[in-house]
Amino acid sequence: VQLQASGGGLVQAGGSLRLSCAASGSIFRVDTMGWYRQVPGKQRELVATVTSGGTTNYADSVKGRFTVSRDNAKNTVYLQMNSLKPEDTAVYYCNADIVSRRFYPSINRWGQGTHVTVSS
């Protein structure tokens, strides 16, 4: 099982980006999916999560600007980032709780990270 993220890049402050992350491999069910970010020298922090039922959770710093969503049929999670600020610059990692087979426990997985740079 792996998570493949895409969509990062360089954008000016006030601009938008959309990140995608698809889970692939032996998958029976994907539970909570989400995004975290990390800048050098700091701990990885929560950005947003979404459950399989659509319940979302956001960091206060991104509320009203970012929207997390998912396509359960495609095992894919998205992060629409609007009104980007220089302080949003980070490596963004997708994360998911994945059950590979029926009756197996859920295992937390990380994607490889995608860089987002917001210039002032």
Side-chain angles (χ1 to χ4, degrees):
V1 176
Q2 62 178 348
L3 296 174
Q4 183 68 43
S6 61
L10 173 64
V11 65
Q12 288 188 332
S16 298
L17 281 176
R18 189 190 193 211
L19 306 183
S20 300
C21 178
S24 62
S26 177
I27 297 173
F28 173 73
R29 187 181 74 244
V30 182
D31 294 331
T32 298
M33 304 182 82
W35 294 93
Y36 292 72
R37 66 188 181 186
Q38 189 171 23
V39 298
K42 292 190 176 181
Q43 287 190 330
R44 193 171 296 186
E45 65 175 11
L46 168 75
V47 176
T49 61
V50 56
T51 67
S52 57
T55 299
T56 58
N57 180 48
Y58 294 94
D60 288 343
S61 59
V62 306
K63 284 181 180 177
R65 301 188 296 122
F66 291 10
T67 302
V68 63
S69 61
R70 63 189 285 171
D71 183 332
N72 289 331
K74 296 181 179 179
N75 292 325
T76 299
V77 62
Y78 306 96
L79 185 68
Q80 179 66 43
M81 305 185 291
N82 298 328
S83 303
L84 282 160
K85 304 176 181 179
E87 51 263 44
D88 294 318
T89 296
V91 178
Y92 284 70
Y93 296 90
C94 61
N95 179 271
D97 293 320
I98 297 175
V99 177
S100 60
R101 295 184 182 181
R102 189 177 183 183
F103 305 126
Y104 275 40
S106 172
I107 297 177
N108 189 259
R109 304 273 187 179
W110 290 96
Q112 84 282 11
T114 184
H115 288 259
V116 172
T117 302
V118 184
S119 63
S120 57

